[in-house]
Amino acid sequence: MSAQQIVFLVTAGVIVISAALVVTVRNLIHASLWLVITLFAVAAIYVQLEADFLAVVQVILYIGAISILIIFSVMLTRRVMADTGPQRIPQWPLAAVLALLVFGGLAYLLVQVPWPLAPNVDVSDTVLALGEAFVDPNRYVIPFEVATVLLLVALVGSISLALPERESD
Amino acid sequence: MNASALTVWLIPVPPLLSAAVILLFTFRSRWLSHTVALTAIGISLVLGWSVVFGALGTPHFADHPLASSIDWLPTGNTALRMGVAVDPLTVVMLFFVPLACALIILYSVGYSNFGKALDAHDAVGSPPHNGVEPMYTRFFAFLSLFSGAMLLLVVADNLLLLFFGWEIMGLCSYLLIGFWHGRNYADPHQTTPRQAAVKAFLTTRLADVVMLLGIAYLYSETGTLNFREIFFNPELMEKLLATPSYISGLAAAHLIGLLLFSGTVGKSAQFPLHTWLPDAMEGPTPVSAMIHAAAMVSAGVYMVIRVFPLLAAGAAHGGSPVLAVMTVVGSFTALFAATIAVAQNDVKKVLAYSTISQLGFMITALGIGAYIAAAFHLMTHAFFKALLFLGSGSIIHGMEHGAHHTHEHIDPQDMRNMGGLAARMPVTYMTFLIGGLSLAGFPFVTAGFWSKDEILADALAHGHTTVLVVLLLAAFLTAFYTMRQISLTFWGAPRTESAAHAHESAWTMTLPLVVLAFFAVTAGYVGVHHEFPVLGHLLGENPFEHFLMGSLPAELDGFSFSWTPVMLSVFVGLGGLLAGWLVYGRRPLGAGAADPVQVALGPVHTLLGNKYYLDEFYQAAFVGPAKWISAVFVSRIVDRGIIDGLLHSLARLALGIGSGTVLFEKWGVNYVPDQLADGVQATGDRSRFVQTGQVQTYLLGVVVAVLAMTAALLIAAR
Amino acid sequence: MVPLSWYLVLAALLFSIGIYGVLARANAIGILMALELMLNGVILNIVAFWRYRGPTQVSGQMFAIIVFAVAAAEAAVGLALIISIYRRRGTVVAEDVSLLKW
């Protein structure tokens, strides 16, 4: 077993354990902290896949923004929930069985198919290629613009949703 | 991308943009809003005409069309491309579409009573009485969106972009037909604008779904949706023709053609999906002009001309079933709608059925292979029909003014209430007369004569005698009901006080009429057969056909000039007009008198007046059951716990059986049905909790279903 | 070199854990967290395929980035919805938000 494989297994172990804790621990603050650890470990996997840019985006966007947002929301809504009520709904055993089935099916499918692999090449400089592809009118400039519009709409939408209702109406 | 290609890209942009600008920013100012809309369509007109005249000045333009496209949606190794192209057919469309749209928008300024104060009695969603339209700015935003969509459709170089424009127009027609959504009628059987909008939307949607299937099928067979890439590639066409489709005995090309043509049947209101169009008259009149002349219905015919090579595939050897279908549908519609138009009393309804009939002419022309004649008639029809609709709007406007003045409660659209308007509305009268004569095919002068004559000549030259007879009949009826309309409306003495007090409309309304009247006469001179004595040579050897020839790969065998069809058109045109004059013009209808044709035809007239009861038939055959299913089946049964209602009735049935059994045998058997009944009722009671209202329970169901489907697929793949 | 299948199995595992969380968590924010796990599984899958099957093209990473953008939008709107529901009804338990039922 090569060093790479050992590193992968360790990271994967961290991911699986912390992800499992995210969905099982009672305390939501703890859950969100475990989520941060999961996301970090996934970023580490990206590094192993030589997708440096994505790893950085993962850290900045997921950990820096989304996780913080989640922690804030947990704290904003904490008063009622406390940690007293049940954290699982009664149908959880069924959910567990289904999740297992999904995993079984996915893993079976993904492993069984003989994916043709591309020859291994050096992919050190993806950031430049990504940047160029984003602004190339013949490639991804339109998806890029659409994504920006989507983010803008989400921004406006979430502000208007979360605004307290005005007294007048 | 060179400069002229960029111009083409820009043509649809200003109206689309102005719709957004009006809705978002300028909606508070009426003046600013209509200025924005007019400026935008004006820019499109200038851009469009610069392309048009550039193309007209280019020799052999058909061989070097303007085209440019970009990758729109990369999908792995291929990409869906978006692009624009201008070939001679597009040039023809670009000539009249922006012009008609601009005139209609200008007309709307006067039609919506710009400049008057808001009438206190007017509510949002109802037609204005004497004040300015309450939803003034919104109207211009919708009209702009509509024009932009039509221009987008015209410049598109592929079916997908064309479909975008097509669908935006569908949306706009819904919004505009139902523009006066608050309007209600005393008579519950009269279609309200709301119902008309829903009907138009659903009918065209039904056709559009079929058309989308055709587009998807075409893409799966060819891997591209670009017109030129498909139609100018003989190998691909051969392959399409050789591939068998899902229906045995039908080539893929033909099935695709039929599916695409279905879209046109809906959009261009061909039998049997024509019923939405007369009801669409519930919208404001500029909308009717927009839908029936410049856009929408033209789009349907335009699309069929675009994909004509596909429809005509194999016509050279063995004939194409699609063309046969088109000929039958088109000629039937032409005659069928013309007969209905004879018995209509609403000034706009007559025009509506006449539109359906004229569209039938175009579809027939395509069906017999004469796509140039179809394009020619499409252009001339756009001019004279827009003119007639705007003219009728002006008439209604004048009548409404009279009704308001005299406080009379009459239907301002009913021709039986009019009469004698010629003296009171001279500009409207003159222009309407020109438009009417053009529609009727008044010989040698009007545009409608030349284009209709070309279709008839094609039918005769290619030996379609039955088609020719049917079309001649339809043309005769067209001239007849046109004369009837003109006589009832303008001639004789006013039959109501309102008609006596009608007056001419504002210049914003009459100017478009005059411009359109000019084109309703002159537009025909570009397409006179080159062997026509004197005129043919004088008018430049049929420049229209010369220009358009070669824009499609399907070659058209020309035919030499013959006097027979010309004499036939002259005869039916003049004959129809004369018959109409004899019946209606010579002795003007008195107030309250019965229509002479109604007296003569009796029950047949009632049948025609009620449009062959097709609406009632559809109501009973499709709408009723659909409503029944949604009311009874879906809302009661599915909503209330899937089986609840069903089980209750089962329970009742079981109970009934049970009590019957009790009478028979008091012991033994009676226990079982009771239990059964109770059990069934209890099951129903319990199973309605399937609808828990909880997202996670539903999600659970989704996951189970996905798993089941994946498993099924895996097993099937094995 | 780590075989491709390892990454795929890891992605599948992450996705399934997410599904379990979405289906079993009572708290709406917990559901949203589990949703993020699912999205991470998907992105991981895409990136692994990119690295092993098309490292010379940028499309794989491009898709991942667009999924990132969608995830960010989803989180923002989702949390805003939760805050809004919390403000109106005083609860963040998904089970309690069940007006649409029989």
Side-chain angles (χ1 to χ4, degrees):
Chain A
M1 192 177 279
S2 71
Q4 274 178 333
Q5 287 176 343
I6 293 172
V7 174
F8 173 82
L9 286 180
V10 171
T11 336
V14 173
I15 290 178
V16 172
I17 291 168
S18 55
L21 285 170
V22 170
V23 295
T24 47
V25 291
R26 296 183 53 79
N27 187 324
L28 270 184
I29 291 284
H30 292 176
S32 34
L33 293 178
W34 283 118
L35 179 66
V36 170
I37 292 182
T38 315
L39 298 175
F40 250 123
V42 172
I45 295 277
Y46 291 159
V47 173
Q48 289 170 41
L49 282 167
E50 296 177 77
D52 330 350
F53 181 68
L54 286 182
V56 175
V57 171
Q58 171 91 359
V59 172
I60 294 175
L61 190 102
Y62 261 111
I63 301 171
I66 297 181
S67 300
I68 300 302
L69 204 60
I70 288 176
I71 291 174
F72 262 106
S73 323
V74 172
M75 296 198 294
L76 277 173
T77 58
R78 204 173 154 78
R79 201 182 58 212
V80 172
M81 271 305 280
D83 297 312
T84 50
Q87 288 296 327
R88 290 188 297 219
I89 61 173
Q91 63 173 5
W92 73 269
L94 188 53
V97 172
L98 280 180
L100 266 180
L101 275 176
V102 168
F103 172 68
L106 272 179
Y108 167 75
L109 263 181
L110 289 170
V111 173
Q112 183 217 32
V113 176
W115 302 105
L117 298 183
N120 196 4
V121 290
D122 183 36
V123 287
S124 53
D125 197 18
T126 52
V127 181
L128 179 67
L130 271 175
E132 278 175 349
F134 260 139
V135 291
D136 187 345
N138 282 323
R139 302 188 67 188
Y140 290 97
V141 74
I142 295 177
F144 180 60
E145 295 299 334
V146 171
T148 57
V149 172
L150 174 75
L151 285 174
L152 180 68
V153 171
L155 181 74
V156 176
S158 46
I159 290 174
S160 76
L161 274 175
L163 266 185
E165 282 186 64
R166 273 171 294 170
E167 300 296 316
S168 56
D169 44 31
Chain B
M1 200 187 293
N2 57 24
S4 43
L6 189 66
T7 317
V8 181
W9 279 101
L10 288 178
I11 291 172
V13 175
L16 293 175
L17 214 59
S18 79
V21 167
I22 292 172
L23 285 178
L24 291 177
F25 304 113
T26 69
F27 60 92
R28 286 182 206 287
S29 161
R30 297 197 187 96
W31 180 83
L32 208 55
S33 294
H34 78 227
T35 311
V36 167
L38 277 171
T39 314
I41 192 72
I43 295 172
S44 290
L45 179 64
V46 171
L47 291 175
W49 278 18
S50 76
V51 171
V52 168
F53 290 110
L56 290 177
T58 315
H60 303 291
F61 179 69
D63 301 332
H64 318 281
L66 277 176
S68 106
S69 61
I70 54 158
D71 275 357
W72 177 63
L73 190 66
T75 53
N77 297 325
T78 61
L80 281 175
R81 292 178 71 77
M82 278 294 157
V84 296
V86 175
D87 66 355
L89 183 60
T90 313
V91 169
V92 173
M93 297 295 284
L94 277 181
F95 176 70
F96 72 82
V97 169
L99 176 66
C101 288
L103 290 174
I104 290 166
I105 292 178
L106 175 65
Y107 177 91
S108 306
V109 175
Y111 185 82
S112 303
N113 291 333
F114 178 72
K116 295 191 184 169
L118 203 60
D119 193 330
H121 300 294
D122 287 340
V124 168
S126 304
H129 291 99
N130 203 30
V132 70
E133 166 67 53
M135 298 184 288
Y136 190 82
T137 56
R138 197 188 305 180
F139 191 56
F140 283 89
F142 290 166
L143 283 181
S144 288
L145 189 59
F146 205 130
S147 330
M150 183 65 193
L151 291 168
L152 182 69
L153 180 142
V154 168
V155 297
D157 79 337
N158 62 70
L159 266 173
L160 192 63
L161 194 55
L162 184 142
F163 193 69
F164 281 8
W166 188 276
E167 289 297 311
I168 299 175
M169 278 202 291
L171 167 72
C172 289
S173 73
Y174 169 77
L175 293 172
L176 285 168
I177 294 169
F179 192 71
W180 288 327
H181 52 266
R183 196 177 202 182
N184 285 310
Y185 296 111
D187 176 10
H189 294 295
Q190 196 173 353
T191 316
T192 62
R194 284 190 305 281
Q195 292 166 334
V198 170
K199 187 174 179 180
F201 194 69
L202 290 185
T203 313
T204 49
R205 201 66 6 176
L206 177 71
D208 292 354
V209 171
V210 181
M211 178 178 163
L212 190 58
L213 276 180
I215 295 178
Y217 192 10
L218 185 63
Y219 187 73
S220 73
E221 287 293 328
T222 61
T224 173
L225 288 173
N226 185 298
F227 298 125
R228 293 189 79 82
E229 277 173 24
I230 298 173
F231 303 139
F232 282 77
N233 185 344
E235 283 170 31
L236 203 57
M237 293 297 289
E238 281 295 317
K239 186 179 148 256
L240 273 178
L241 201 55
T243 319
S245 68
Y246 304 114
I247 298 170
S248 65
L250 205 59
H254 294 146
L255 185 59
I256 295 170
L258 280 177
L259 291 172
L260 292 177
F261 176 60
S262 308
T264 296
V265 170
K267 212 63 155 184
S268 290
Q270 294 298 293
F271 183 84
L273 294 183
H274 64 278
T275 52
W276 67 268
L277 195 145
D279 285 343
M281 295 298 131
E282 290 300 326
T285 306
V287 174
S288 311
M290 198 76 139
I291 292 176
H292 296 84
M296 198 93 166
V297 295
S298 308
V301 178
Y302 170 75
M303 194 273 286
V304 189
I305 304 179
R306 261 278 163 251
V307 299
F308 185 72
L310 189 69
L311 308 178
H317 23 82
S320 154
V322 192
L323 290 190
V325 169
M326 285 170 68
T327 316
V328 172
V329 169
S331 50
F332 179 73
T333 309
L335 184 59
F336 168 82
T339 56
I340 297 181
V342 171
Q344 297 299 314
N345 289 320
D346 185 316
V347 65
K348 279 170 79 184
K349 285 267 163 76
V350 175
L351 293 176
Y353 280 103
S354 122
T355 304
I356 298 176
S357 169
Q358 297 301 310
L359 290 166
F361 270 86
M362 297 173 210
I363 297 294
T364 315
L366 284 164
I368 57 177
Y371 72 86
I372 291 181
F376 189 29
H377 198 53
L378 181 64
M379 179 178 77
T380 58
H381 175 259
F383 283 124
F384 64 70
K385 194 48 70 63
L387 168 61
L388 286 171
F389 268 114
L390 296 185
S392 74
S394 177
I395 295 169
I396 295 166
H397 215 256
M399 287 293 292
E400 274 171 351
H401 178 86
H404 187 78
H405 190 75
T406 58
H407 301 287
E408 209 175 10
H409 287 287
I410 52 147
D411 182 0
Q413 304 196 8
D414 195 324
M415 294 190 297
R416 288 170 298 187
N417 294 331
M418 300 177 186
L421 291 180
R424 289 159 189 83
M425 310 179 75
V427 181
T428 307
Y429 168 58
M430 282 313 294
T431 49
F432 198 92
L433 190 63
I434 292 172
L437 290 179
S438 193
L439 169 63
F442 189 78
F444 307 123
V445 181
T446 60
F449 170 76
W450 295 113
S451 55
K452 213 179 283 179
D453 173 58
E454 186 160 329
I455 294 178
L456 296 175
D458 264 301
L460 186 72
H462 298 299
H464 299 277
T465 326
T466 327
V467 173
L468 181 70
V469 172
V470 171
L471 290 188
L472 282 174
L473 263 176
F476 178 81
L477 286 173
T478 307
F480 179 77
Y481 65 68
T482 308
M483 199 58 185
R484 171 176 182 263
Q485 189 172 29
I486 292 170
S487 320
L488 285 180
T489 314
F490 291 107
W491 295 346
R495 281 186 290 279
T496 55
E497 280 299 300
S498 307
H501 287 89
H503 76 127
E504 187 58 276
S505 308
W507 71 269
T508 44
M509 290 170 77
T510 48
L511 177 71
L513 294 178
V514 174
V515 177
L516 285 170
F518 171 75
F519 284 106
V521 173
T522 54
Y525 297 145
V526 296
V528 178
H529 195 283
H530 59 94
E531 289 171 23
F532 196 89
V534 191
L535 275 180
H537 184 67
L538 203 66
L539 295 170
E541 314 273 344
N542 200 348
F544 189 81
E545 183 179 318
H546 198 70
F547 181 66
L548 215 56
M549 188 68 92
S551 62
L552 296 178
E555 268 309 316
L556 198 65
D557 33 334
F559 51 90
S560 56
F561 176 74
S562 143
W563 275 105
T564 326
V566 178
M567 289 328 289
L568 283 173
S569 335
V570 171
F571 179 71
V572 296
L574 287 181
L577 287 171
L578 185 69
W581 185 78
L582 284 176
V583 178
Y584 292 98
R586 199 170 40 137
R587 269 180 292 108
L589 200 63
D595 193 318
V597 174
Q598 188 176 1
V599 177
L601 288 179
V604 180
H605 188 274
T606 318
L607 180 69
L608 297 180
N610 286 300
K611 309 134 197 172
Y612 294 99
Y613 294 102
L614 261 184
D615 273 323
E616 285 74 8
F617 171 71
Y618 286 160
Q619 187 75 28
F622 302 112
V623 181
K627 273 192 181 157
W628 183 84
I629 286 175
S630 49
V632 176
F633 192 74
V634 179
S635 92
R636 268 195 225 147
I637 295 167
V638 178
D639 258 18
R640 298 189 43 90
I642 306 171
I643 12 178
D644 202 19
L646 198 72
L647 291 190
H648 272 307
S649 53
L650 258 182
R652 244 175 261 126
L653 186 73
L655 211 63
I657 296 173
S659 31
T661 329
V662 167
L663 289 177
F664 259 98
E665 296 185 27
K666 293 204 169 183
W667 299 280
V669 202
N670 101 341
Y671 179 74
V672 182
D674 270 359
Q675 279 299 301
L676 195 66
D678 287 349
V680 163
Q681 197 159 17
T683 319
D685 244 9
R686 253 171 235 140
S687 57
R688 77 176 197 212
F689 293 101
V690 170
Q691 295 280 312
T692 57
Q694 279 171 23
V695 186
Q696 282 163 306
T697 320
Y698 298 153
L699 266 178
L700 211 67
V702 170
V703 175
V704 171
V706 168
L707 277 172
M709 280 193 284
T710 318
L713 278 176
L714 277 179
I715 292 166
R718 197 148 287 251
Chain C
M1 187 80 183
V2 184
L4 171 63
S5 55
W6 290 21
Y7 286 106
L8 300 184
V9 171
L10 176 61
L13 201 52
L14 201 52
F15 186 78
S16 311
I17 293 174
I19 284 195
Y20 168 75
V22 168
L23 289 178
R25 269 285 186 190
N27 190 313
I29 300 178
I31 294 175
L32 217 60
M33 283 193 234
L35 217 54
E36 297 301 336
L37 289 183
M38 287 172 72
L39 277 166
N40 259 280
V42 172
I43 301 175
L44 185 54
N45 206 342
I46 294 176
V47 177
F49 271 125
W50 162 76
R51 182 65 189 83
Y52 283 85
R53 300 203 55 208
T56 49
Q57 296 174 320
V58 290
S59 14
Q61 290 212 34
M62 203 58 81
F63 264 86
I65 291 171
I66 288 176
V67 177
F68 268 124
V70 173
E74 171 255 0
V77 175
L79 288 170
L81 275 172
I82 291 172
I83 300 280
S84 169
I85 291 171
Y86 174 72
R87 195 172 280 138
R88 274 165 193 269
R89 316 190 40 147
T91 180
V92 283
V93 179
E95 270 186 310
D96 295 348
V97 189
S98 58
L99 269 181
L100 279 175
K101 61 181 172 186
W102 71 89

